[in-house]
Amino acid sequence: MISKQLRKKRIALPLILTGTLLLSACAANSQPMDHQGHDMANMSQAPQQATEPKTMSAAIDSAMEVLTGNTFTLTAKESMLHLDDNTMKTAWTYNGTVPGPQLRVKQGETVKILLQNQLPEPVTIHWHGLPVPNNMDGIPGVTQNAVKPGESFTYQFKVDVPGTYWYHSHQNGVVQVDKGLYGSLVVEPKEQQSVDKDFTLVVDEWLKDDSMAGMSHGGGHAGMSMSTTTSDHSSMMYSNSSEMPMSDAEMMPLMYTIFSANGKTGSAITPLMIKQGEKVRIRLINAGFLSHRLYLQGHEYKIVSTDGQPINNPPLVSGQLLNIAPGERYDIEFVANNPGSWLLEERSSNPGATSLTVPILYEGYEATKPKAEKGDLPLIDMTKYGEAAKSDFSLDDSYDIEYTMDLNTEMKSGEMTFTINGKTYPDTPPLQVKKGDLVKVKLVNKSPKDLHPMHLHGHFFQVLSKNGQPVSGSPLVKDTLNLLPGEEFVVAFIADNPGEWMFHCHDLGHAAQGMMSEVKYEGFQRDFVVDPTVNNKPE
Ligand code: C2O
Ligand code: CU
């Protein structure tokens, strides 16, 4: 598997210190890159101005910059986010935008990122999905002290594995990531694949009513069910059919009703401009708390990778929905062979779904009014997608260690908690491993309604089975795996990256309410001392 091979293949490349910094001040939310990796922002600027002149002024606040090279500065600071002309949020950002700039780096390079904190709270950066050394993983109180207001920290690591990743604060993530402290990270492969357009869409959700911030997720949930008389939103806490309090899974989509792509919602979302005949890649990243069911109009497409890892021989998809869970990434590719004005749309039944429609516009065509299609379509099952191939792990292998993680939703002294084997972090038992161990983990979602996108830091794992059925499609290698209620998955990985690694639900509200564990290597020593004056919050 990837992780094994890459350990052997590490090649030291000389630092290229002359990296260029490409700042595009234009309004393109989705910067196309040509196949040589050049920023095409300036080329795409003109048509976007022509088609969407009125979003230009507002869009400056959320333009996605693309930074290339190997030395970066990310400044955490407050900024106004214009989701559309009428909807503004006070956001927490890296470099003033949501998402933060895209860091576009080359496989094999050593990159250096200076984090400066201008926010009133401590922050970090976690490089979601990238296997970095443990002390670069950005976990407050576990791999470093969170960076205090006014202070800075330098992250430095070699990027070995090409693909689509993202970065976000790991300090009090349920608040900080929710406020916008995230961005995308693309590791370009050594051998450049040829696509003509390379877009990135980071999806997220926002509260319609910011006063509900404290009520979101488990904490607010228990609070809400105890404050029915004082809450304006009491009608939301009980489902019509019964007196049972609503589950987190039912309540969140009713609170988070503004969906965004690259920091824009609804008609403010910048169209992806394409030309007939082009090969188009869209890198989808979910930075939010909700799953999104995406549908591409007018084109069949291939899912070429998930969580940065390639899919073997992916077939064309049509008439199905691609579900992207919190923390997951999917790279899709299609050939622009159907000129016109199309949408990539959200087709879940969540109230916010209609606000996530990304226009896909052929040059020379008028943007027509979004014509969202309706109707239920089957979901793509990634465990059956693509073609089987030789892989690193199988169900028949013998493993050094086997763990089971039962994921559940439990009331504990009047609080909604999300548990692993009945415990909440930091009382969850860690997975103890030794370097070189082959580890098999069975994940079981016992929550009646909540889904749990489980994310392992520092490693990729291979998905071996779902509900007892071996994966029959492409070997499926991921860092974030979504479990619906009742589902059971078996995954395997090699313990090849010593440290203390978080293994948690990427519904960050669930993580904050307990659903977090650690993979701990025997004999590993931290290289820092916890500073008690920093209010480290590792979730
Ligand atoms: Cu996306 Cu523990 O993180
Ligand atoms: Cu969860």
Side-chain angles (χ1 to χ4, degrees):
M1 191 183 65
I2 290 87
S3 51
K4 274 185 195 164
Q5 290 163 357
L6 283 164
R7 294 284 139 195
K8 292 178 204 139
K9 270 198 256 170
R10 288 191 171 184
I11 301 160
L13 278 190
L15 277 178
I16 298 164
L17 292 168
T18 53
T20 50
L21 179 71
L22 293 178
L23 280 187
S24 66
C26 90
N29 276 2
S30 318
Q31 306 287 39
M33 309 280 292
D34 69 14
H35 57 271
Q36 284 149 333
H38 299 129
D39 190 327
M40 294 174 74
N42 293 331
M43 296 168 68
S44 65
Q45 189 173 14
Q48 275 159 1
Q49 272 175 331
T51 53
E52 288 249 316
K54 72 181 197 320
T55 64
M56 288 302 293
S57 55
I60 286 160
D61 287 310
S62 65
M64 189 193 283
E65 299 168 7
V66 177
L67 306 182
T68 61
N70 50 32
T71 308
F72 308 96
T73 299
L74 292 176
T75 303
K77 59 180 173 187
E78 197 170 280
S79 178
M80 225 9 121
L81 170 67
H82 297 252
L83 284 160
D84 63 22
D85 286 348
N86 309 309
T87 318
M88 280 186 257
K89 299 282 175 190
T90 305
W92 283 14
T93 72
Y94 294 110
N95 291 8
T97 60
V98 180
Q102 176 165 91
L103 308 185
R104 202 143 182 134
V105 302
K106 295 236 185 313
Q107 179 185 12
E109 285 207 20
T110 295
V111 298
K112 206 171 174 176
I113 305 102
L114 173 66
L115 165 63
Q116 293 177 323
N117 185 9
Q118 293 178 2
L119 285 168
E121 296 285 329
V123 302
T124 66
I125 305 178
H126 166 60
W127 313 97
H128 182 121
L130 258 195
V132 297
N134 193 243
N135 61 358
M136 295 289 119
D137 202 43
I139 312 306
V142 178
T143 70
Q144 69 172 103
N145 288 301
V147 181
K148 288 180 178 175
E151 296 189 353
S152 62
F153 184 89
T154 300
Y155 294 92
Q156 183 168 348
F157 47 83
K158 190 156 169 276
V159 287
D160 283 321
V161 193
T164 304
Y165 303 92
W166 63 300
Y167 61 88
H168 60 82
S169 181
H170 220 288
Q171 164 80 7
N172 195 16
V174 65
V175 170
Q176 294 196 352
V177 180
D178 197 37
K179 282 170 169 264
L181 271 175
Y182 60 77
S184 59
L185 170 63
V186 172
V187 181
E188 294 180 341
K190 283 200 183 111
E191 305 137 38
Q192 195 56 251
Q193 294 141 333
S194 60
V195 292
D196 301 300
K197 289 280 167 66
D198 189 340
F199 298 104
T200 300
L201 292 173
V202 189
V203 300
D204 195 4
E205 317 86 29
W206 304 83
L207 291 167
K208 187 102 208 164
D209 174 1
D210 286 324
S211 69
M212 298 175 89
M215 298 176 191
S216 65
H217 278 110
H221 188 189
M224 280 180 86
S225 54
M226 291 188 297
S227 62
T228 47
T229 51
T230 56
S231 171
D232 288 342
H233 311 283
S234 56
S235 60
M236 287 173 46
M237 295 169 341
Y238 293 90
S239 42
N240 297 332
S241 51
S242 76
E243 285 305 294
M244 287 292 291
M246 286 179 78
S247 70
D248 199 54
E250 289 164 315
M251 200 164 66
M252 293 291 288
L254 300 180
M255 297 170 64
Y256 284 85
T257 56
I258 303 171
F259 292 2
S260 65
N262 296 346
K264 291 286 178 192
T265 189
S267 57
I269 296 174
T270 308
L272 310 184
M273 298 296 300
I274 60 177
K275 268 209 281 287
Q276 182 161 15
E278 282 181 337
K279 192 169 171 190
V280 180
R281 172 182 287 228
I282 305 176
R283 301 170 188 268
L284 300 161
I285 302 173
N286 187 346
F289 296 150
L290 302 179
S291 286
H292 296 284
R293 299 184 162 191
L294 301 175
Y295 181 75
L296 176 63
Q297 293 180 349
H299 302 80
E300 297 185 318
Y301 64 89
K302 293 174 179 177
I303 302 168
V304 296
S305 70
T306 180
D307 295 355
Q309 301 303 300
I311 300 289
N312 183 49
N313 207 2
L316 286 167
V317 173
S318 64
Q320 284 172 291
L321 304 182
L322 172 57
N323 187 80
I324 182 165
E328 279 192 307
R329 287 90 64 213
Y330 290 92
D331 290 11
I332 66 172
E333 278 183 15
F334 64 92
V335 176
N337 56 8
N338 195 3
S341 170
W342 304 99
L343 295 176
L344 176 69
E345 50 175 346
E346 224 276 27
R347 300 267 301 249
S348 72
S349 55
N350 292 328
T354 50
S355 65
L356 180 51
T357 49
V358 183
I360 295 176
L361 187 57
Y362 281 71
E363 276 176 31
Y365 283 76
E366 279 285 296
T368 49
K369 271 255 171 306
K371 38 178 173 30
E373 295 170 17
K374 275 259 139 38
D376 238 1
L377 290 171
L379 291 180
I380 298 161
D381 182 349
M382 292 304 293
T383 66
K384 300 191 169 109
Y385 183 77
E387 194 184 314
K390 210 167 125 27
S391 60
D392 273 15
F393 300 98
S394 85
L395 288 164
D396 307 325
D397 293 345
S398 63
Y399 289 87
D400 300 299
I401 318 185
E402 301 189 12
Y403 280 101
T404 297
M405 294 167 81
D406 283 341
L407 313 170
N408 211 342
T409 308
E410 299 178 62
M411 291 302 285
K412 289 195 182 215
S413 34
E415 289 269 331
M416 179 73 70
T417 64
F418 299 92
T419 58
I420 299 174
N421 296 342
K423 297 274 188 358
T424 56
Y425 188 80
D427 301 326
T428 43
L431 289 71
Q432 301 278 1
V433 303
K434 289 193 302 298
K435 184 158 192 230
D437 278 349
L438 298 182
V439 187
K440 188 161 93 174
V441 183
K442 186 203 276 182
L443 296 149
V444 188
N445 184 353
K446 299 199 163 169
S447 294
K449 298 204 168 146
D450 298 306
L451 47 91
H452 302 301
M454 294 300 290
H455 171 48
L456 173 62
H457 289 207
H459 309 73
F460 296 98
F461 50 75
Q462 186 179 339
V463 182
L464 299 180
S465 71
K466 172 186 176 182
N467 301 333
Q469 296 293 311
V471 168
S472 58
S474 164
L476 186 58
V477 178
K478 290 179 68 66
D479 56 63
T480 308
L481 176 65
N482 192 36
L483 287 94
L484 302 180
E487 284 186 339
E488 173 186 310
F489 283 84
V490 174
V491 307
F493 65 93
I494 179 167
D496 59 1
N497 194 4
E500 288 177 66
W501 299 101
M502 311 314 287
F503 197 169
H504 66 93
C505 182
H506 220 285
D507 180 322
L508 298 177
H510 295 183
Q513 299 296 120
M515 192 167 281
M516 183 135 132
S517 183
E518 287 179 32
V519 172
K520 272 192 173 160
Y521 281 66
E522 193 180 287
F524 177 80
Q525 297 293 334
R526 292 177 179 182
D527 70 349
F528 78 106
V529 178
V530 172
D531 177 349
T533 70
V534 180
N535 185 16
N536 287 311
K537 289 191 177 175
E539 313 85 33

